Every structure is written in structure tokens, then in C-alpha cells.
Amino acid sequence: MKTIPIPEILQRINKIFTQNGYEAFLVGGAVRDLILGKEISDYDIATNAKPEDVIRIFHKVIPTGIAHGTVTILFMGQSIEATTYRIEKDYTDGRHPDKVEYASKIEEDLSRRDFTMNAIAASLADGSIVDPFGGQIDIQQKTIRTVGNPLERFSEDGLRPVRALRFAAQLGFEIEPETLKAIPVTNHITKGISIERFRDEFVKMLKSPKPSVALNLMEKTGILKIFLPEFAGCRNVLQKDIRGFHSFDVLDHLIYALDGVILASKNQASVELRLASLFHDIGKPAAKRIEKRPYFKDGKETMEDFNTFHGHEYPSAKIAKDVLTRLRFPNDTIKYVVHLVENHMFHYESTWQESAIRRFIAKHNTQILPFPEVLQDLFYLRQADAYGKDEDEKVFTEGKWIENLSEFKSRIDKELENQVAFSLKDLAVSGKDLIEAGFPAGKKMGEVLNGLLEKVLENPKINQKETLLDLAKEMF
């Protein structure tokens, strides 16, 4: 490819640069994505104009990274980063260059970039490609390769190896062998990156079409042990026994369950749901027990070893909370993931009464959870768990298991349509009503309100103010 189409907004920006005697190029992932035929919305510009020149020739500019030659141009309602051509020298902290010098040519600027596929520029004037390191060939061959010596590139910046793994999952590319071999050699540099930078890359891995690619590479390169050692401890924790329920050990099960939740939700799964699918069984190594039980086969009884993991959802929820806290995820994210993990082992039977359905709904209708989305997420998580047993997509469409789940969901939907009370705020009386009726405030009032909700879940017809006030008198 010799040229790529330049979006109109960039053509207008280029006109301002050229009128003032400067040149400008589109660089980075935007060029790569245009070559791949993808739509782009984020633009990064490289130019021979210095930051003070950009500030002078454009009306609205924010000096976002002026020490490193970067400013943000506010133009036609968009924010576009413009960075002066530069070269970088020495990375003693394994993340940031000790010295930045302005360069005179775009080729010099491209030489400092991480991977060949990201070291391509397109002139804003005519879309002509500048590709000094063969990035277009690597894109065509779906290859991730460093610009120059991989040991040098990864020793300069410990985030680059993590980005390589993320790109492999995000783009479906293979990491070139020498580039891949350099990753574990430079793990002592990668270990020093901030936890926030790792978390941001980790989230991008989770959002990729097939996160298992990145997670398997994380294990292969040793990065998993650095940042997520709890998962490394799940390797070789076997689940399979004579019943044949599981094909994989716990780690592979978790990784493929993550792929499964994307399939189950048709790629609509939130980050929280993806995290829950990855963590849902992480407590199994702690909960594992081997029990001798009778087993009937071909009419004969034998004593067999059964792998059991009773109550594993509780250590799983605790580990999820600890890891996500360490990675500095938002508190709301942590609470939601923990709730999903702790409740993923629900078991429905057709004999359940409607009141049992309503109690199930009420259990998940709390202020910290998005409702009723949490119910759908629990179903997706259950399907992902089943998929992670042997990577069989039939679990989404066939068999008694999915019929059971479909029936349960149908009954839940029916109860939701009835719009009965599923939380304290849905009751026909409030704490204020009870106080006005002469009841004393305090801990007892909370117990009474919860007791009233329980009675309404049993019989929604009694959710009337006078009836509930009478019941409250009995409880007090």
C-alpha cells in the first residue's frame, strides 16, 4: 500500500501546518488500523513543528506533555495529540527516557517506536506511506516484531512486552520468535512498571476478541507470575475424575471460561463480567478435596476418587477482591465482580415455587449492583462456566442443562414483568412511615422492614400500606 485515505479533519489540520511552513504525519495505531481496513477515531500526529509553534498556529491547544514535545490540539470538537519529531536516549527506570531530543525527519521519530506495525507514518498532505522498517509486510503477515533488537526495545520500556501480548489477542497476530524469546529475558524490567499501567493493558486484553491468547502468552513468558501469581497457582490443579465433568485443569478452565463469556454474550460482556468469568473458580486450589465415593458403572459398584471443591465460590470471591484491589480497580467494579463470583453456583430446579424465584431476584437487587443486568450476567457466567469445561459451544444451545437455564430465566422474566417488591424501597411502607405510626427508630426497625419484605416475597398481594403496618405491629 503506497497511500491511505486521510480523514477530512486531518486534511484541515494539515492545511494549517503547511501554511505555516511545517509538515505533519499521521502515526501509530491509527495508521496500522487504516491499513487493516478498520475505522479510526483517535489520531496521533507527528510534526517538525515544535510545541511552541503548534500553540502559536492553532487557536486551542493544551500543553498535555510539553516536556516531551506533546500538545493536544482541540479542533472540530476533537482532541488530537501532536508531538514534535523526537529521539529518545537512555531508559534507566525501564519506562521513561532520560533524555528527549527533537529530530528533523519523520524516519528518526519512527525509529524510537515499539513495533514495526506501529512505526509507519502517513503524510497528512497526500496520504503517502513512510515505512522504513517493513511494518506493512508484518501487518500483512500478522506478525508482531520490534523495531530493531527486541532485547534493547524491551529493556528500554518494561511495558512493551505486555503491549505485545495485548496486541496478539487484540489483533489476532503472532509474536515473531526472537521478539517472543526476549520477553522473559527482560521480565526484571517489566516487573518495575506501575500496577496501573499493567491494569490498563490487562483490561484491553480482557476486551479483546479472544483473551485466552494473551493469558496463555502471559503464562508462557512468566508475566502471569509477576502480576497475577494467584492464577499461576491454578496450573495442574486437576478437576477431572471418573465422572468426566472437566477436561481442563483449573487454570485452563478459567481462561476458556473467559472466552466463553464473550461467546455467550455475543461480545456484549462488560469488563466486570469478563473479570468474574476469569476469577469464578480461582479458589478451587484452596477448596480441593479428594473423597472416596461409591460409583456405579455397568451395574457394578466401585470406590473411586472424586475431586470435590465444595464452597469454592467463597475463597474465589476473596481472592478476586484481593487481586482487583491490588490492581487498583474501582470499588464499584470490585463489589460487582465479587458478587458475581460468590453467587455463580446457583442451582435451579423446576419444583421451585414462585416465591423462591422472587427471593432469588431479591437477593441480587441491591444498591451496589446494576439491576436487572446482574441477573443476565449471572446466566452468562453460568454458561461460560459450562463452556470452560471442554470448550464445546453446544452448551449454549443444546441439552438438558441449557433447557433448565432457559426455563429459570423465563420464570424470572415473568416475575419481573409483574413488578412486585424485590427490595425495601419497593415496599408500600418505609422507615419514615413506621416512625410516623409510632414505632421507635433503631436496629429493630431494620429487622422489621426486612421481615416485611420476606412476607411480601412470599405473597406480593399483601404489599399494601395498612396491611404492612398491621404486620409491623405484630413483629414489634
Side-chain angles (χ1 to χ4, degrees), residues 300-311:
K300 295 181 180 180
E301 180 182 346
T302 59
M303 295 299 291
E304 301 288 347
D305 286 341
F306 279 55
N307 291 321
T308 66
F309 304 90
H310 299 307

Side-chain angles (χ1 to χ4, degrees), residues 19 26 69 120 132 143-144 174 207 224 236 251 350 359 388 396 439 470:
Q19 286 175 344
L26 181 65
I120 308 171
T143 299
I144 299 169
E174 295 282 339
K207 290 181 176 180
L224 191 71
N236 297 321
L251 181 56
S350 296
R359 287 191 183 92
F396 301 133
F439 297 105
D470 289 341

Side-chain angles (χ1 to χ4, degrees), residues 261-271 273-274 376-377 380:
V261 88
I262 294 170
L263 292 170
S265 67
K266 295 181 171 57
N267 203 31
Q268 298 302 306
S270 64
V271 170
L273 178 55
R274 294 175 193 229
Q376 180 61 69
D377 281 353
Y380 284 147

Side-chain angles (χ1 to χ4, degrees), residues 460-473:
K461 293 180 179 179
I462 68 170
N463 191 26
Q464 299 177 27
K465 186 172 182 178
E466 294 304 320
T467 303
L468 295 184
L469 287 173
D470 289 341
L471 287 170
K473 291 177 183 177

